[in-house]
Amino acid sequence: MFLKFSLRSVFYGAGGGNDIQWCFSQVKGAVDDDVAEGAVLSGKLPEILLVSVPPSLPPPFLPLWVLIQMKIHKRISALRKMKCFPCQFSNTIKSAQLNTSALMSVSFFDQADIISTVEFNHSGELLATGDKGGRVVIFQQEQENKTQSHSRGEYNVYSTFQSHEPEFDYLKSLEIEEKINKIRWLPQKNAAQFLLSTNDKTIKLWKISERDKRPEGYNLKEEDGRYRDPTTVTTLRVPVFRPMDLMVEASPRRIFANAHTYHINSISINSDYETYLSADDLRINLWHLEITDRSFNIVDIKPANMEELTEVITAAEFHPNSCNTFVYSSSKGTIRLCDMRASALCDRHSKLFEEPEDPSNRSFFSEIISSISDVKFSHSGRYMMTRDYLSVKIWDLNMENRPVETYQVHEYLRSKLCSLYENDCIFDKFECCWNGSDSIVMTGSYNNFFRMFDRNTKRDITLEASRENNKPRTVLKPRKVCASGKRKKDEISVDSLDFNKKILHTAWHPKENIIAVATTNNLYIFQDKMN
Amino acid sequence: MSGNSDSFRSDVKRSWHSSPPRALTLDRYMLGKGGKRKFDEHEDGLEGKVVSPTDGPSKVSYTLQRQTIFNISLMKLYNHRPLTEPSLQKTVLINNMLRRIQEELKQEGSLRPVFVTASQPTDPLGDNFREAQPAFSHLASQPLLPTDLVSTTPLEACLTPASLLEDDTFCTSQTVQHDGPTKLPPPALQPVKDSFSSALDEIEELCPAPTSAEAVAVAAETAADDSKDHPSESSVQKPEGVPESRPAEPKLMDSLPGNFEITTSTGFLTDLTLDDILFADIDTSMYDFDPCTSATGAASKMATDELLKTLAPYSSQPVTPNQPFKMDLTELDHIMEVLVGS
C-alpha cells in the first residue's frame, strides 16, 4: 500500500495538492452574457397559474376571482424575480430590478443546460457529462502530440445524444424529469464504450461506437439508398468498405425501467462487471447488465407506515474490489456496509459507520447538515469518503465509530444555516471525489469555489472556476473566504458569496492530474502545470 | 354537475399548494429590519448566539428562532407546488425538523400547565416570559380580541392552547385563560395556505353561520391574527402562516404528514372532508357591495382589511391598527379596480 502511494507521488512531484499548480485548461458551455434577452426556457413550463376556487364564492364572481388570482401570481413572480430567487420563473425575464444586494445572482441560461453529473471513464480518455435536459455529452481527450509536450491533450466533443426524455406519470399526475442523475462507465472490453445513465426512474445502458468505414458498391441499392430496378443490374460486384469521416453513434442497448417507486439517486457498477446496483430513496436494487425485466431488491428501508418515515437513502456504492460488499448512506449521517452473502435482503447491515454528534455544535439544523450527500470508496478500497453539508469525512472501513479524517469545507456557513435553510441551499447535494492515488480529495462549494484536501500534508486549497482566468495554462490563484472581522485583500467575505453559483459535481482523472469541475452550466477542465 | 364538483375538488386541492409570496416571507422572517435583506444583520438577530433552551435571557431568541424555523418548515411543505414530485429526502428532513420542534413544544407545554398570569408564576419559563414581556410590551397594545369582531363565539373558547404557546411571548394582556395544551382544538382547517386563500377563508368563516367548530378555530385565527398584524411595524414580524400554524400544531402532534405518499392531499388534510368546504353555508350578504352596518358588515370590513393586507404586501402605507374598521368598501372597490385594470 505504501509502496503504491509513493510510486504515484513521484509522478507529480513531492506529493501534495498544494505542490500542484492548477492551470486553467478549457471551459465548455455557453457564456451567460451571450444569451439573448428574453431567452425562452426549453422544456419546462413556468409554474402554471392556479385557479383555486373557494367553493363558497357564488358563480358570478368566479371570473373575478380568477383575475385576482392571476394578478397576484404575477405580482408574486415579479417580486420573486426582484429578490433574485433561483426558480424557473426568475430565469425567463431580464429584470431591471437587479440593484438589490441579492445573495444570489440571476443568470440567464437555458435550464436544460444545467450540468447534473460528470464522470471520467476508466482510462480517463473520455469525459461524460449529463445535464438537466436529459442529454449526455462525451468529450474525448486528443492524443498528445509530440510538439506540444508541455500540455496534455484537450477534451473535445466526441458524442452528444439524448439519453432520457421527459415522461409523465399519469397515475400521480406528475412529471418525471429527464435530468440525468448519474453516469457510470463500464470498463472497456472491445472497441465500443458502454455507460449507464439514469434519471429519476429509468436506467439505460448506452453503447457508444465509432464508425469510420462504410460499405460501398451494393448491387441492389444506389449510393443514396434508393433501390435500383433489378432489370438494370447487368453486372455483379462485391461491396467494399471505404473510409469515411468518423461518426460516433450512441445506441441504447438496455433499458432498465419500472423498478423504482422513488427517485433514483445512485448507480454503481460491481467489480464483477456483470451486475450493478441502483438506489432510490428507500430501496436498493441489484441488476444484471443483461437482464432488463427483473431486478433483485437488496435493501428496503420503507416503513410499514409511511408516516413513520424519518430516514432515506442518499447514496450507495459497490466496493471497488469485493463484489459482495456495498455501502449506502442515509439522511441521518450514517453509512451502512452490507455483505450480500449474508442474506438475500441486506436490511441488516454488517457495519454501521456513524460519528457521534458534537454537542457543542448542536443546532436545529444538526440533522440536516449531517445528511450525507455522497459516498465514494477510495481506489484502494480501504477507505471511503462521505460528504455532508459542511465537511468531508474519510472513514477507514475497519473503524466504525468515527472517521479517520475530517475536513471542513466551508465552516463559515455554520452561522448562516437558518438562511440557508430558508433558501433551500442547505439541501444542496455536493459530491466529492478522490484523485487517482487516493492522496487528495476534492469537493465543491459556493461562489464557484472548489476545495482540495491533501491527506498527506494536511493542507488544503480553495480555487475558483470562473472565466476570468481564461487563458490556458494560467495558474489558478488560491482563494480565501474570510469568516468574520477584517477582510484582508483578495479575500472574500461570507456575505458576498454567491449561493446561486455552486459546484456540486467534480471529477478527477483516474491517472493524471486533470480535473473536471461543473458549475451550473459550464464545465471547466483544469490540469496541473507541466514544465 | 358532478363534472363541476370534480373540477372544484381538484382546484381546491391544488390551492393548498399555490405558492406564497416568497419575497414576502423573507422580510417577515427578518427581525423587522425592513428594506434590503442583509445577511449579517439577520444572523446577529437570529443565529448569532448559540442558544440552548435553558438559557434565561436567550430563551426568547431561542423560542423565536424555533418558531421561525417551524414556520419556514411548514411553508416549505405546503406552499410548494412542483410540476414534478418533491424530493422525498427534503420532505423527510423538514418533517423531522417539525417533529423535533413539536416535541420540544410539547415538553415545554407540559411544564407550565397554566398560562402565565399577572400573578406569580413559579416555573422558570414563566420568569423568562415575564422578562420577555417588557421587550414586547409595545406590542399588543390592543386587547387580544376586539370584542366587536367576532360575533359568534366567546373569547375564551376561541383561543387554542397552541396559540398561546406563541402568544405568551408577544402579549402582555393576560386576559385569556385556557386549560392547557391538553385541550386540543377541533379538527382544524388546512394549516397553511398562501396568504391570499387564507384571507379569503377568513372571509368565508366570518359568515355568521358557523355550525362547525372549524369556524371557531378560524375565528380564533383571525382574531389572533389581528393582534399580530396590528403592531405591524414591530420588530417581530409574523408571517401569515402563523395563525394557521397554531391549530396546526396540535394537529401535527397527531398525524405528521402522510404526504410521503405522493397524493394531492396531505396527511394534514385527512380529517377535512371536502364536503365541509364545498357545501358550507354561504352568506352572500358579504358580496353585496353596499355599505352595511350590521355585525356581519363590520366583520366583513375586518375581513376586507385582512384581504387588503394580503393583497398589497408591499404597500408603503401600513394599515394602522387603530382603524381597522374605517376602511370602507369604496376603497376595496378602488383596489379591485386597480387590480383588474392593470
Side-chain angles (χ1 to χ4, degrees), chain A residues 52 55-56 65 68 71-72 174-175 281 306-307 310 364 367 371 415 418-419 421-422 424 429, chain B residues 15 26 29 42-43 47 73 76 83 85 89-90 96 99-100 196 200 204 256 260-261 311 339 342:
Chain A
S52 56
S56 56
W65 173 266
I68 295 171
K71 298 295 172 198
I72 290 173
L174 291 166
E175 276 188 30
D281 290 318
M306 276 298 271
E307 296 197 356
T310 56
F364 286 110
E367 189 195 341
S371 171
S415 55
C418 195
S419 315
Y421 179 64
E422 205 173 2
D424 278 352
K429 294 196 194 165
Chain B
S15 73
L26 259 199
Y29 293 131
H42 178 63
E43 295 322 308
E47 303 180 77
S73 306
K76 279 187 192 300
L83 296 168
E85 280 178 66
Q89 182 198 359
K90 194 166 147 187
N96 290 350
R99 274 201 194 111
R100 212 174 323 124
F196 192 83
L200 281 147
E204 289 167 38
L256 262 187
F260 295 126
E261 306 292 356
L311 283 179
L339 282 178
S342 61

Side-chain angles (χ1 to χ4, degrees), chain A residues 7-21:
Chain A
L7 274 177
R8 295 273 196 168
S9 70
V10 163
F11 179 75
Y12 51 76
N18 295 332
D19 296 330
I20 303 179
Q21 296 207 291

Side-chain angles (χ1 to χ4, degrees), chain A residues 261-489:
Chain A
T261 311
Y262 304 96
H263 291 182
I264 298 175
N265 51 54
S266 315
I267 47 175
S268 176
I269 301 176
N270 206 346
S271 46
D272 61 10
Y273 302 140
E274 285 187 357
T275 56
Y276 73 96
L277 63 76
S278 59
D280 66 24
D281 290 318
L282 296 178
R283 298 191 178 101
I284 302 182
N285 291 337
L286 180 72
W287 301 83
H288 192 282
L289 283 165
E290 299 291 328
I291 300 171
T292 60
D293 59 354
R294 68 198 114 101
S295 67
F296 291 99
N297 177 243
I298 51 177
V299 172
D300 188 343
I301 64 169
K302 183 176 175 185
N305 182 5
M306 276 298 271
E307 296 197 356
E308 294 166 16
L309 179 66
T310 56
E311 193 174 7
V312 297
I313 297 172
T314 52
E317 199 180 39
F318 265 120
H319 191 276
N321 302 326
S322 309
C323 58
N324 51 277
T325 309
F326 66 94
V327 294
Y328 67 93
S329 60
S330 80
S331 58
K332 284 199 170 166
T334 63
I335 308 106
R336 288 173 171 81
L337 184 141
C338 299
D339 188 332
M340 294 197 290
R341 298 170 299 189
S343 65
L345 188 62
C346 301
D347 272 357
R348 290 178 51 214
H349 54 262
S350 301
K351 294 197 184 196
L352 175 68
F353 297 85
E354 187 174 13
E355 186 176 21
E357 196 186 350
D358 179 7
S360 64
N361 271 336
R362 268 200 95 240
S363 77
F364 286 110
F365 307 101
S366 295
E367 189 195 341
I368 297 184
I369 60 169
S370 72
S371 171
I372 292 174
S373 52
D374 193 20
V375 66
K376 288 263 172 44
F377 276 105
S378 64
H379 291 93
S380 63
R382 165 111 185 254
Y383 299 96
M384 69 176 174
M385 165 167 57
T386 59
R387 173 74 156 99
D388 49 73
Y389 189 63
L390 295 179
S391 66
V392 164
K393 295 181 181 170
I394 298 187
W395 303 78
D396 186 324
L397 290 186
N398 300 318
M399 184 160 76
E400 298 170 56
N401 56 355
R402 60 178 176 80
V404 289
E405 294 156 36
T406 304
Y407 301 104
Q408 299 299 335
V409 180
H410 35 220
E411 181 73 9
Y412 45 81
L413 295 183
R414 194 179 284 276
S415 55
K416 314 286 183 196
L417 290 178
C418 195
S419 315
L420 293 167
Y421 179 64
E422 205 173 2
N423 61 24
D424 278 352
C425 282
I426 208 173
F427 299 108
D428 286 337
K429 294 196 194 165
F430 291 96
E431 292 175 12
C432 52
C433 61
W434 299 84
N435 74 337
S437 62
D438 298 339
S439 58
I440 308 179
V441 297
M442 170 167 68
T443 186
S445 178
Y446 292 105
N447 209 66
N448 282 349
F449 287 169
F450 59 99
R451 305 258 284 141
M452 289 188 203
F453 303 94
D454 188 325
R455 300 177 60 212
N456 299 328
T457 65
K458 302 296 182 216
R459 290 198 302 222
D460 58 273
I461 188 169
T462 307
L463 298 171
E464 182 179 2
S466 81
R467 283 178 183 265
E468 288 171 17
N469 310 319
N470 234 338
K471 283 170 42 191
R473 295 198 291 281
T474 313
V475 175
L476 295 179
K477 197 177 64 167
R479 309 304 305 262
K480 191 136 171 18
V481 178
C482 105
S484 60
K486 300 183 276 208
R487 186 176 76 88
K488 302 195 193 72
K489 184 176 176 295

Side-chain angles (χ1 to χ4, degrees), chain A residues 134 163-167 176-182 197-204 256 262-267:
Chain A
S163 170
H164 286 74
E165 297 280 354
E167 290 168 22
I176 298 174
E177 268 196 301
E178 68 274 30
K179 172 169 74 99
I180 308 291
N181 291 336
K182 281 287 185 315
S197 71
T198 181
N199 70 345
D200 283 339
K201 299 284 186 185
T202 307
I203 306 141
K204 294 188 184 179
F256 306 91
Y262 304 96
H263 291 182
I264 298 175
N265 51 54
S266 315
I267 47 175

Side-chain angles (χ1 to χ4, degrees), chain B residues 56-109:
Chain B
S58 51
K59 166 70 181 173
V60 169
S61 66
Y62 178 84
T63 316
L64 219 77
Q65 184 180 16
R66 180 176 63 191
Q67 189 60 45
T68 309
I69 294 172
F70 187 85
N71 295 333
I72 296 173
S73 306
L74 280 179
M75 293 286 238
K76 279 187 192 300
L77 280 183
Y78 291 100
N79 288 315
H80 178 49
R81 193 206 169 262
L83 296 168
T84 59
E85 280 178 66
S87 153
L88 186 65
Q89 182 198 359
K90 194 166 147 187
T91 312
V92 165
L93 289 172
I94 297 174
N95 273 312
N96 290 350
M97 173 82 86
L98 285 170
R99 274 201 194 111
R100 212 174 323 124
I101 294 181
Q102 270 187 263
E103 285 303 315
E104 275 188 28
L105 289 171
K106 215 195 256 184
Q107 280 171 9
E108 280 179 17

